[in-house]
Coordinates of all heavy atoms in Angstrom, one line a residue:
V9 N -31.8 65.0 136.5 CA -33.0 64.5 137.2 C -32.7 64.5 138.7 O -31.9 63.7 139.3 CB -33.4 63.2 136.8 CG1 -34.7 62.7 137.5 CG2 -33.6 63.1 135.3
G10 N -33.2 65.5 139.5 CA -33.0 65.6 140.9 C -32.2 66.8 141.2 O -31.1 66.9 140.7
G11 N -32.8 67.6 142.2 CA -32.0 68.9 142.6 C -31.5 68.8 144.0 O -31.4 69.7 144.7
G12 N -31.0 67.6 144.4 CA -30.4 67.5 145.7 C -28.8 67.7 145.6 O -28.5 68.4 144.6
P13 N -28.1 67.4 146.5 CA -26.6 67.7 146.5 C -25.9 67.2 145.2 O -25.1 67.9 144.7 CB -26.0 67.1 147.8 CG -27.0 66.2 148.4 CD -28.4 66.7 147.8
A14 N -26.3 65.9 144.8 CA -25.6 65.4 143.7 C -26.0 66.2 142.3 O -25.2 66.6 141.6 CB -26.0 64.0 143.5
F31 N -34.4 69.1 136.8 CA -35.7 68.9 137.3 C -35.7 68.4 138.6 O -35.1 67.4 139.0 CB -36.4 67.8 136.4 CG -36.6 68.4 134.9 CD1 -35.7 68.0 134.0 CD2 -37.7 69.1 134.7 CE1 -35.9 68.4 132.7 CE2 -37.9 69.6 133.4 CZ -37.0 69.3 132.4
E32 N -36.5 69.1 139.5 CA -36.6 68.7 141.0 C -38.1 68.6 141.2 O -38.9 69.6 141.0 CB -36.0 69.7 141.9 CG -36.3 69.6 143.3 CD -36.1 68.3 143.9 OE1 -35.0 67.7 143.8 OE2 -37.1 67.7 144.5
K33 N -38.6 67.4 141.7 CA -40.0 67.2 141.8 C -40.6 68.2 142.8 O -41.7 68.5 142.7 CB -40.3 65.8 142.2 CG -40.0 65.4 143.6 CD -40.3 63.9 143.8 CE -39.9 63.5 145.2 NZ -39.8 62.1 145.4
V35 N -40.2 69.1 147.1 CA -40.7 68.5 148.3 C -41.1 69.6 149.3 O -40.3 70.6 149.4 CB -39.6 67.6 148.9 CG1 -40.1 67.0 150.3 CG2 -39.3 66.4 147.9
A45 N -35.7 70.8 147.1 CA -35.0 69.5 147.2 C -35.7 68.8 148.4 O -36.1 69.4 149.4 CB -33.6 69.6 147.2
D46 N -35.5 67.5 148.3 CA -36.0 66.6 149.6 C -35.3 67.1 150.9 O -36.0 67.2 151.9 CB -35.7 65.2 149.2 CG -36.1 64.3 150.4 OD1 -35.4 64.1 151.4 OD2 -37.2 63.7 150.3
A50 N -30.3 65.3 157.2 CA -29.4 64.3 157.6 C -28.0 64.8 157.4 O -27.5 64.8 156.3 CB -29.6 63.1 156.9
A51 N -27.4 65.5 158.4 CA -26.3 66.4 158.0 C -25.3 66.4 159.1 O -25.2 67.2 159.9 CB -26.8 67.8 157.8
G52 N -24.3 65.4 158.9 CA -23.1 65.4 159.8 C -22.0 65.2 158.8 O -22.1 64.5 157.9
F53 N -20.9 65.8 159.2 CA -19.7 65.7 158.3 C -18.5 65.3 159.3 O -18.3 66.0 160.2 CB -19.4 67.0 157.6 CG -19.5 67.0 156.1 CD1 -20.7 66.3 155.5 CD2 -18.6 67.5 155.3 CE1 -20.8 66.3 154.1 CE2 -18.7 67.5 153.9 CZ -19.7 66.9 153.4
W57 N -14.4 64.3 155.2 CA -15.4 64.3 154.3 C -15.4 65.7 153.5 O -15.9 65.7 152.4 CB -16.9 64.1 154.9 CG -17.0 62.8 155.4 CD1 -16.1 61.8 155.6 CD2 -18.2 62.2 155.9 NE1 -16.7 60.6 156.1 CE2 -18.0 60.8 156.4 CE3 -19.5 62.6 156.0 CZ2 -19.0 60.0 156.9 CZ3 -20.6 61.9 156.5 CH2 -20.3 60.5 156.9
R109 N -29.1 71.3 156.7 CA -29.2 70.5 155.4 C -29.9 71.3 154.4 O -29.5 71.5 153.3 CB -29.8 69.2 155.7 CG -30.2 68.4 154.4 CD -29.1 67.8 153.7 NE -29.4 67.4 152.3 CZ -29.6 66.1 152.0 NH1 -29.4 65.2 152.8 NH2 -29.9 65.8 150.8
G131 N -41.2 69.9 138.7 CA -41.2 69.1 137.5 C -40.6 67.7 137.8 O -39.5 67.4 137.9
T132 N -41.7 66.8 138.0 CA -41.3 65.4 138.3 C -41.1 64.6 137.0 O -41.9 64.6 136.1 CB -42.5 64.7 139.1 OG1 -42.7 65.5 140.3 CG2 -42.1 63.3 139.4
V133 N -39.9 64.1 136.8 CA -39.6 63.3 135.7 C -40.2 61.9 135.8 O -40.1 61.3 136.8 CB -38.1 63.1 135.5 CG1 -37.8 62.3 134.3 CG2 -37.4 64.5 135.4
A165 N -29.8 61.9 139.2 CA -29.4 62.3 140.6 C -30.7 62.3 141.5 O -31.0 63.2 142.2 CB -28.9 63.7 140.6
D166 N -31.5 61.2 141.2 CA -32.8 61.1 141.8 C -32.8 60.4 143.2 O -33.8 60.1 143.8 CB -33.9 60.5 141.0 CG -33.5 59.1 140.4 OD1 -32.4 58.8 140.4 OD2 -34.3 58.4 139.9
G167 N -31.6 60.3 143.8 CA -31.5 59.7 145.1 C -31.8 58.3 145.2 O -32.1 57.6 144.2
P168 N -31.9 57.7 146.4 CA -32.1 56.3 146.6 C -33.4 55.7 146.2 O -33.6 54.5 146.1 CB -31.7 56.0 148.0 CG -32.0 57.3 148.7 CD -31.8 58.3 147.7
V172 N -36.4 57.1 138.5 CA -36.0 57.4 137.1 C -34.8 56.5 136.7 O -34.8 56.0 135.7 CB -35.9 58.8 136.9 CG1 -35.6 59.2 135.4 CG2 -37.1 59.6 137.4
A198 N -35.3 55.4 156.9 CA -34.8 56.3 158.0 C -35.8 57.1 158.5 O -36.5 57.7 157.7 CB -33.5 57.0 157.4
W230 N -29.8 56.9 166.3 CA -28.8 57.9 166.4 C -29.2 59.2 167.0 O -30.5 59.5 167.1 CB -28.2 58.2 165.1 CG -29.1 59.0 164.1 CD1 -29.3 60.4 164.2 CD2 -30.0 58.5 163.3 NE1 -30.3 60.7 163.3 CE2 -30.7 59.6 162.7 CE3 -30.3 57.2 162.7 CZ2 -31.7 59.4 161.7 CZ3 -31.3 57.1 161.8 CH2 -32.0 58.1 161.3
F232 N -28.0 63.4 166.9 CA -27.2 64.4 166.2 C -27.7 65.8 166.8 O -28.8 66.1 166.7 CB -27.5 64.5 164.8 CG -26.8 63.6 163.9 CD1 -26.7 62.2 164.1 CD2 -26.0 64.1 162.8 CE1 -26.0 61.4 163.4 CE2 -25.2 63.2 161.9 CZ -25.2 61.9 162.2
Y303 N -37.3 58.9 155.1 CA -36.5 58.9 153.8 C -36.2 57.4 153.5 O -35.8 56.7 154.5 CB -35.3 59.8 154.0 CG -34.4 59.9 152.9 CD1 -34.5 61.0 152.0 CD2 -33.2 59.2 152.8 CE1 -33.6 61.3 151.0 CE2 -32.3 59.5 151.7 CZ -32.5 60.5 150.9 OH -31.6 60.7 149.9
I305 N -33.8 54.6 152.2 CA -32.3 54.5 152.1 C -32.0 53.0 151.8 O -32.5 52.1 152.4 CB -31.7 55.0 153.3 CG1 -30.2 55.2 153.1 CG2 -31.9 54.2 154.6 CD1 -29.6 56.3 153.9
G323 N -24.5 60.1 143.1 CA -24.9 60.2 144.4 C -25.7 58.9 144.9 O -25.4 57.8 144.7
G324 N -26.8 59.2 145.7 CA -27.6 58.2 146.2 C -28.2 57.2 145.1 O -28.4 56.0 145.3
T329 N -24.5 56.2 148.9 CA -24.8 56.5 150.3 C -24.4 55.3 151.1 O -24.6 54.2 150.8 CB -26.2 56.7 150.6 OG1 -26.5 57.9 149.8 CG2 -26.5 57.1 152.1
E334 N -25.0 55.6 156.8 CA -25.9 56.5 156.0 C -25.1 57.7 155.4 O -25.7 58.4 154.7 CB -27.0 57.0 156.8 CG -27.7 56.0 157.8 CD -28.2 54.8 157.1 OE1 -28.0 54.6 155.8 OE2 -28.9 54.1 157.7
G335 N -23.9 57.9 155.9 CA -23.2 59.1 155.3 C -23.2 59.0 153.8 O -22.9 57.9 153.1
G336 N -23.3 60.2 153.1 CA -23.4 60.2 151.7 C -23.4 61.5 151.0 O -23.3 61.7 149.8
Y337 N -23.7 62.5 151.8 CA -23.7 63.9 151.2 C -22.4 64.2 150.5 O -22.4 64.7 149.4 CB -23.9 64.9 152.4 CG -24.5 66.2 151.9 CD1 -25.9 66.5 152.0 CD2 -23.6 67.3 151.4 CE1 -26.4 67.7 151.6 CE2 -24.2 68.5 151.0 CZ -25.6 68.7 151.1 OH -26.1 69.9 150.6
H338 N -21.3 63.9 151.2 CA -19.9 64.1 150.6 C -19.8 63.4 149.3 O -19.3 63.9 148.3 CB -18.8 63.8 151.5 CG -18.8 62.5 152.1 ND1 -20.0 61.7 152.5 CD2 -17.8 61.6 152.5 CE1 -19.6 60.6 152.9 NE2 -18.4 60.5 152.9
A340 N -22.3 62.3 147.4 CA -23.3 62.8 146.3 C -22.6 64.1 145.7 O -22.7 64.3 144.5 CB -24.6 63.2 147.0
Ligands
FAD501 C1 -31.4 59.3 158.1 C2 -30.3 59.7 157.3 C3 -29.1 60.2 157.8 C4 -28.1 60.6 157.0 N1 -27.0 61.2 157.5 C5 -26.0 61.7 156.8 C6 -25.0 62.4 157.4 O1 -24.9 62.6 158.6 N2 -24.0 62.8 156.6 C7 -24.0 62.6 155.3 O2 -23.1 63.0 154.6 N3 -25.0 62.0 154.7 C8 -26.0 61.6 155.5 N4 -27.1 60.9 154.9 C9 -27.0 60.6 153.4 C10 -27.4 61.8 152.6 O3 -28.6 62.4 152.9 C11 -27.5 61.3 151.1 O4 -26.4 60.5 150.8 C12 -27.7 62.4 150.1 O5 -28.9 63.0 150.3 C13 -27.7 61.9 148.7 O6 -27.8 63.0 147.9 P1 -28.5 62.8 146.4 O7 -28.4 64.2 145.8 O8 -27.9 61.7 145.7 O9 -30.0 62.4 146.7 P2 -31.2 63.2 147.5 O10 -30.6 64.0 148.5 O11 -32.2 62.2 147.8 O12 -31.7 64.1 146.3 C14 -32.5 63.5 145.2 C15 -33.4 64.6 144.7 O13 -34.1 64.1 143.6 C16 -35.5 64.5 143.6 N5 -36.2 63.6 142.8 C17 -36.4 62.3 143.1 N6 -37.2 61.7 142.1 C18 -37.4 62.7 141.1 C19 -38.1 62.7 139.9 N7 -38.6 61.7 139.4 N8 -38.1 64.0 139.3 C20 -37.5 65.1 139.7 N9 -36.9 65.0 140.9 C21 -36.8 63.9 141.6 C22 -35.8 64.4 145.1 O14 -36.9 65.2 145.5 C23 -34.5 65.0 145.8 O15 -34.5 66.4 146.0 C24 -28.2 60.4 155.6 C25 -29.3 60.0 155.0 C26 -30.4 59.6 155.9 C27 -31.7 59.1 155.3

Side-chain angles (χ1 to χ4, degrees):
V9 182
F31 291 99
E32 167 52 54
K33 72 178 177 196
V35 175
D46 178 278
F53 245 47
W57 292 12
R109 168 75 196 253
T132 301
V133 177
D166 52 342
V172 183
W230 70 85
F232 273 55
Y303 181 87
I305 191 151
T329 301
E334 322 301 7
Y337 201 93
H338 56 324

